[in-house]
Amino acid sequence: MDVIYSLIPGMIFFGLVFVGVLIWAIKRGQYEDLEGDGNRILMDDDEGENKDLEPGERKKRVGLNFPDDD
């Protein structure tokens, strides 16, 4: 029973810290764009990369070529 006298103030302290971190994150704009990352991952970054190549050619990129890929 004596432990409850230290747990209650401790949980109140951690609750206030959590609310403070939440307010800080809202003021810094962490919750402004909730769907941006979800949509950004679907966009293609290398759309114009292979425009100048013939249909049968491939552009070799460093790090993506495997020895048996020729």
Side-chain angles (χ1 to χ4, degrees), residues 3-18:
V3 75
I4 203 164
Y5 297 126
S6 62
L7 285 177
I8 291 174
M11 290 301 111
I12 290 174
F13 172 74
F14 282 122
L16 291 174
V17 168
F18 176 74

Side-chain angles (χ1 to χ4, degrees), residues 11-57:
M11 290 301 111
I12 290 174
F13 172 74
F14 282 122
L16 291 174
V17 168
F18 176 74
V19 169
V21 168
L22 181 66
I23 291 172
W24 174 77
I26 291 172
K27 286 188 178 188
R28 296 228 20 220
Q30 295 292 320
Y31 296 103
E32 291 291 322
D33 186 17
L34 296 177
E35 296 179 7
D37 288 334
N39 293 332
R40 203 172 305 122
I41 197 168
L42 299 175
M43 294 180 197
D44 193 13
D45 290 341
D46 25 319
E47 284 180 358
E49 191 171 304
N50 293 329
K51 279 186 179 177
D52 55 343
L53 297 177
E54 297 287 325
E57 288 183 38

Side-chain angles (χ1 to χ4, degrees), residues 49-50 57-70:
E49 191 171 304
N50 293 329
E57 288 183 38
R58 289 184 298 154
K59 186 174 184 180
K60 291 192 175 191
R61 298 188 327 191
V62 177
L64 296 178
N65 299 322
F66 298 101
D68 58 350
D69 197 24
D70 292 332

